[in-house]
Amino acid sequence: MRTFLDDNFLLHSSVAEELYHQYAKDLPIIDYHNHLPPDQVAANKQFDNLTAIWLYGDHYKWRAMRANGVDERFITGDASDQDKFRAWAKTVPYTVRNPLYHWTHLELQRYFDIHDLLTEKNADEVYEAASAKLQQPDFAVDGLLNKMNVKVICTTDDPIDSLEYHQAYAQSGKKLKMFPAFRPDKAMSPENTESFNQYIDKLAQVSNQEINSYQDYLDALKARHDFFAENGCCVSDHGLSHLYAEDYTEADIKNIFAKIRRKEQLSEQEINQFKSAMLVQFAEWDHEKEWVQQFHLGAFRNTNAKAIKTLGADTGYDSIGDYKQGEALVKFLNRLDSQDTLGKTILYNLNPMDNELFAAMGGNFNDGKTIGKMQFGSGWWYNDQKDGMTRQITALSNIGLISRFVGMLTDSRSFLSFPRHEYFRRILCDIFAEDIVKGELPHDMEWIGKIIQDICYYNAKAYFPFK
């Protein structure tokens, strides 16, 4: 019987152990998509206690606590931080076979050297020990990132963000690099014309220009896109239910924008046309600057109206969507490719039913010039676990080139989430090792080891044009 979370956790053969420990374990981390707060990175924030760094904003844990019957007061409410942690500790034993059980104990081990299983009985002991360590200088943000050998992080930033914290951090001279990522979701969401006009007015303010027409709007957004590039950005990101690829003319979009400014309600077709036009425009700018564009597709967001009314958006009520993805993907990518404006692209799906579709779709638009130009992104969100990662790796292996894959990312708001890279690396090594043991891959550790290292680090290093 194996010991839980020992040195060879998730590694089921001596070959897997060799691949992980000799080739993958000590590689640096490039975390090219996350939701870390840049102000906390720039300030080298010191967290008050374990709840503050571990439970605040963690929708995964919140959902598990709700499912375990924990009152909202101990999740997002006014209970003390220690009482919230006690509620989480009481929940942890019931998360068995959920990735939270692995992540929780992996993070306690890697950051705090706590190897006990977290339960209601030892909650106070764990809370006090970890919280005490968090007061030490090397457990501030810089120390936590260095502990995991993180070299690059890309945050997620709206076009109207000032990037002041990225600028301050860039001037600090620290070895770790923090870059912004251009996330213009709000800039292409005119469903509510009143709130969208408020966004347009904020954009006008930060870009220091009036916005009275669609061309004015594009000019202001382009100025922000340029500003992001000046501050080291080379990655964009879109979080959408599905891609939009409606037919439209320039006159259509000018008229739609005029209606928006008059605060008139748009039809569904007009909304979709506007979104389609903006996606093409953003993609063209990204290609012009040789950025990498990312598309996170397939989430049902803010589904519980009662909870959203009480707690607000983005509080743990999103789920896997069953949107039709293929036709719009073909139309959008084909349009860009036909006009030679399709840049490096990473496609992420939330519904695992779409794995093979996404893996195959990217391969349609590789150009024979750029290695790994079209990427089927790592298991995302609900697929960010052992089975989800395995299925994504298998689909990509069967349909594309797993050897050119840019690997894992955290997609997290937590500074304690970086062991997910380790989790991915262990799973990856075990999958390759199983094929070697079965005779389905050659026992060429030098070559397979190189492939493992490329997927874990070197492919991403070569793919993203970080400066």
Side-chain angles (χ1 to χ4, degrees):
M1 183 182 297
R2 296 278 297 272
T3 301
F4 176 64
L5 259 183
D6 64 7
D7 286 345
N8 294 318
F9 174 60
L10 297 176
L11 307 174
H12 297 104
S13 68
S14 60
V15 177
E17 293 169 11
E18 182 179 351
L19 284 175
Y20 176 70
H21 291 292
Q22 297 301 318
Y23 293 95
K25 179 181 179 181
D26 296 324
L27 289 171
I29 288 173
I30 294 175
D31 201 58
Y32 52 86
H33 173 71
N34 61 62
H35 297 272
L36 295 176
D39 59 327
Q40 295 182 1
V41 179
N44 189 25
K45 182 177 174 64
Q46 195 100 40
F47 289 87
D48 292 336
N49 56 57
L50 186 53
T51 296
I53 193 172
W54 218 25
L55 299 183
Y56 287 10
D58 192 328
H59 304 170
Y60 291 87
K61 293 185 178 72
W62 294 356
R63 287 171 64 92
M65 293 167 77
R66 290 170 186 141
N68 200 44
V70 175
D71 187 273
E72 196 65 34
R73 178 171 175 262
F74 298 94
I75 302 173
T76 61
D78 61 359
S80 70
D81 282 353
Q82 188 154 5
D83 282 342
K84 288 179 178 178
F85 184 80
R86 288 168 178 151
W88 168 239
K90 187 176 181 179
T91 297
V92 168
Y94 295 95
T95 66
V96 288
R97 301 209 80 242
N98 184 289
L100 282 167
Y101 195 76
H102 286 165
W103 295 344
T104 293
H105 293 103
L106 197 61
E107 290 165 17
L108 286 174
Q109 283 193 19
R110 296 297 176 265
Y111 290 102
F112 304 106
D113 199 27
I114 294 173
H115 292 258
D116 295 332
L117 299 180
L118 181 59
T119 69
E120 182 181 14
K121 293 180 180 179
N122 65 359
D124 286 349
E125 179 183 349
V126 169
Y127 179 83
E128 290 163 7
S131 296
K133 284 192 173 182
L134 285 168
Q135 305 316 303
Q136 299 173 14
D138 58 345
F139 278 80
V141 164
D142 285 351
L144 295 172
L145 294 172
N146 289 333
K147 192 182 293 288
M148 293 296 109
N149 200 16
V150 181
K151 298 302 182 184
V152 177
I153 57 174
C154 292
T155 59
T156 303
D157 310 278
D158 189 276
I160 64 174
D161 288 347
S162 68
L163 304 187
E164 60 187 289
Y165 302 110
H166 296 84
Q167 293 170 338
Y169 194 78
Q171 295 298 318
S172 69
K174 294 178 181 177
K175 291 183 178 180
L176 185 142
K177 301 298 183 183
M178 176 173 69
F179 299 110
F182 191 78
R183 175 79 171 242
D185 294 356
K186 293 180 180 178
M188 50 174 285
S189 299
E191 288 86 347
N192 183 317
T193 55
E194 183 172 348
S195 61
F196 190 57
N197 270 291
Q198 293 173 2
Y199 180 87
I200 294 171
D201 292 341
K202 291 178 182 177
L203 174 64
Q205 185 176 5
V206 300
S207 61
N208 196 30
Q209 60 186 83
E210 292 186 2
I211 299 178
N212 298 312
S213 67
Y214 178 58
Q215 187 59 53
D216 291 341
Y217 187 56
L218 291 184
D219 290 344
L221 283 172
K222 179 62 162 56
R224 299 307 295 171
H225 199 273
D226 293 343
F227 174 71
F228 269 61
E230 291 165 5
N231 284 279
C233 180
C234 61
V235 179
S236 70
D237 182 57
H238 303 266
L240 305 169
S241 57
H242 54 84
L243 280 178
Y244 296 86
E246 295 288 327
D247 292 327
Y248 62 87
T249 65
E250 185 176 352
D252 289 333
I253 307 306
K254 288 181 177 178
N255 290 334
I256 290 169
F257 190 81
K259 287 184 68 174
I260 290 170
R261 288 309 260 169
R262 294 195 299 268
K263 298 183 180 180
E264 297 177 15
Q265 186 61 43
L266 303 181
S267 69
E268 182 177 357
Q269 181 183 8
E270 289 172 325
I271 291 170
N272 292 340
Q273 285 180 311
F274 185 81
K275 288 176 178 285
S276 300
M278 296 310 303
L279 279 175
V280 169
Q281 188 63 75
F282 292 135
E284 290 175 350
W285 293 339
D286 290 350
H287 176 264
E288 180 184 272
K289 292 187 175 72
E290 299 183 341
W291 286 10
V292 175
Q293 58 181 353
Q294 302 177 90
F295 297 95
H296 288 83
L297 307 174
F300 273 140
R301 297 184 184 272
N302 301 317
T303 59
N304 187 324
K306 179 181 177 182
I308 301 308
K309 184 177 181 179
T310 304
L311 302 175
D314 303 321
T315 50
Y317 297 95
D318 306 332
S319 65
I320 293 171
D322 57 354
Y323 301 99
K324 187 175 181 180
Q325 300 286 356
E327 291 182 7
L329 271 168
V330 169
K331 194 171 181 180
F332 176 72
L333 295 174
N334 192 56
R335 172 173 181 155
L336 296 176
D337 192 57
S338 296
Q339 61 190 32
D340 294 324
T341 56
L342 178 61
K344 291 179 180 177
T345 302
I346 307 178
L347 303 173
Y348 306 86
N349 61 297
L350 193 54
N351 193 326
M353 182 177 67
D354 295 324
N355 279 353
E356 282 72 19
L357 186 156
F358 275 58
M361 186 65 68
N364 296 336
F365 297 97
N366 281 313
D367 59 13
K369 300 175 184 177
T370 305
I371 293 175
K373 175 180 177 178
M374 302 299 295
Q375 291 279 329
F376 173 34
S378 63
W380 168 48
W381 202 344
Y382 287 101
N383 301 316
D384 184 7
Q385 29 77 9
K386 182 183 174 184
D387 181 64
M389 292 179 195
T390 300
R391 292 173 67 179
Q392 185 270 345
I393 289 168
T394 300
L396 178 53
S397 298
N398 287 334
I399 295 175
L401 294 183
I402 186 68
S403 56
R404 296 304 191 180
F405 178 37
V406 294
M408 187 57 178
L409 62 155
T410 63
D411 189 34
S412 176
R413 292 165 176 79
S414 172
F415 291 101
L416 299 186
S417 66
F418 286 88
R420 291 184 195 176
H421 283 265
E422 175 187 338
Y423 199 68
F424 167 83
R425 291 172 180 183
R426 287 176 179 271
I427 291 167
L428 178 73
C429 290
D430 198 61
I431 290 171
F432 271 81
E434 183 179 0
D435 286 351
I436 292 173
V437 170
K438 290 179 178 179
E440 296 177 11
L441 283 176
H443 191 197
D444 184 345
M445 298 303 280
E446 183 177 354
W447 176 248
I448 301 300
K450 177 186 181 302
I451 297 298
I452 292 293
Q453 290 185 321
D454 286 346
I455 296 169
C456 294
Y457 175 69
Y458 290 105
N459 285 345
K461 183 180 181 182
Y463 188 78
F464 293 94
F466 298 129
K467 297 180 181 179

